[in-house]
Amino acid sequence: MIKIATSAICLFLLFTKGFYITRALMLLLLYVSIVFCTSYLRPQTYRWETILYLISFVLTYIYFYDRIVVRQLFTHEFFIKILRFILLAYAIALIIQQCALLAGFQTLPIINLTQFLDKGLGSNALSGEPSSAARVITVAMFCLVRMYEHHLGHKPTVKELYHLAKYPVLGYGWSILTIGSGTGFIALGLLALYFIQPKYICISLSTLAIVFVIIPYIEFIPLQRAYNTFLATLTLDKSVVIETDDSAAARVVPLINTLTNLDLFNWQTWFGHGVDYIKNMGGHTDQMLARYIGCIGEYGLISFIVMQITVYKCFIRKFLSLETLFWIILFGATFGNIAYTWGVIMLMTATKHFIEKPFINNEEEQ
């Protein structure tokens, strides 16, 4: 209800404070229109609440884009403070939850400890589950790195980053290693790619090979889950991936499906099967095996193409980039009706906005 109220306020402010016709507005209106029309073709599964919930996120993002990119209400320094705050907030919340777990509490809603995961110190921090928290903090860390890169005029080393943001870096390191998420280790691996310099590529590959060999002997469940999921993915066998890690399969299987099973000569591929197509497939395994990335199964390939055009116009600068890997591997290349995904999109939008313009130190003015 809080999210719905926020989007309603954004809609009110858009009409009362005025707004510009931006690329985000035009592309997202086109995307929502396609989703609406393709869903309406399937009245037997059409649900207004799903479409309206999507529209609520779209409205919030359009308001954000208008205020941040067009009106430029954030300064470079203020956005860095926001990123640092997010990383510290997640770390502090996680540490408090871990202390509660050590004290014997399995749930304590007042600190967002809403479920007992039985993963040692693993908990959900400020998110609904460890995997979503791991995605958020990794993207926040990556955005912070990009901002410092723009500030310094070169890619910062790990040492430089530590000196620039000691506590956020330590908070991220503790969180990603102890939060209890296999997805977290995949996210950490993607982030580590940023710091690999071309001249050290051979050393890095050798180190990676050694680590890959010794991982099976490390008794740490989240790391083992990430390792086993990676091996299962290499087989391109969806059943093996689901059997290995059901949670990770929710992100891996749709990608495998899209790469191997998408029929471009079927009109339903382009226009989708409608809302709840996947939910009506039967059991959990059947639903998993039928998923495609980007809600292609529900809303069609046309909507997916418009979505990706929006992505590369609004919050990712280059297709061949780490941002693309984050988008595909961690978020399934889809908006979805998921709050933390839209939150991450906002962080990446602001980052793209700042690094595309010259850095001006406004700290004293601010």
Side-chain angles (χ1 to χ4, degrees), residues 275-329:
V275 177
D276 287 343
Y277 163 67
I278 298 298
K279 289 184 179 180
N280 295 331
M281 290 299 294
H284 175 71
T285 301
D286 292 332
Q287 293 178 13
M288 191 78 72
L289 292 172
R291 289 186 183 278
Y292 294 93
I293 64 172
C295 297
I296 293 175
E298 291 87 348
Y299 307 131
L301 189 57
I302 294 176
S303 70
F304 178 77
I305 293 172
V306 173
M307 183 196 304
Q308 303 316 309
I309 293 174
T310 306
V311 167
Y312 289 97
K313 288 293 184 180
C314 295
F315 62 90
I316 295 182
R317 292 184 304 153
K318 301 177 182 177
F319 178 74
L320 297 177
S321 64
L322 279 177
E323 284 86 344
T324 294
L325 289 181
F326 280 116
W327 177 238
I328 295 175
I329 296 175

Side-chain angles (χ1 to χ4, degrees), residues 156-176:
T157 64
V158 175
K159 184 177 180 179
E160 284 179 314
L161 186 62
Y162 178 79
H163 285 298
L164 288 166
K166 177 180 178 180
Y167 293 111
V169 169
L170 291 176
Y172 171 75
W174 174 263
S175 298
I176 205 69

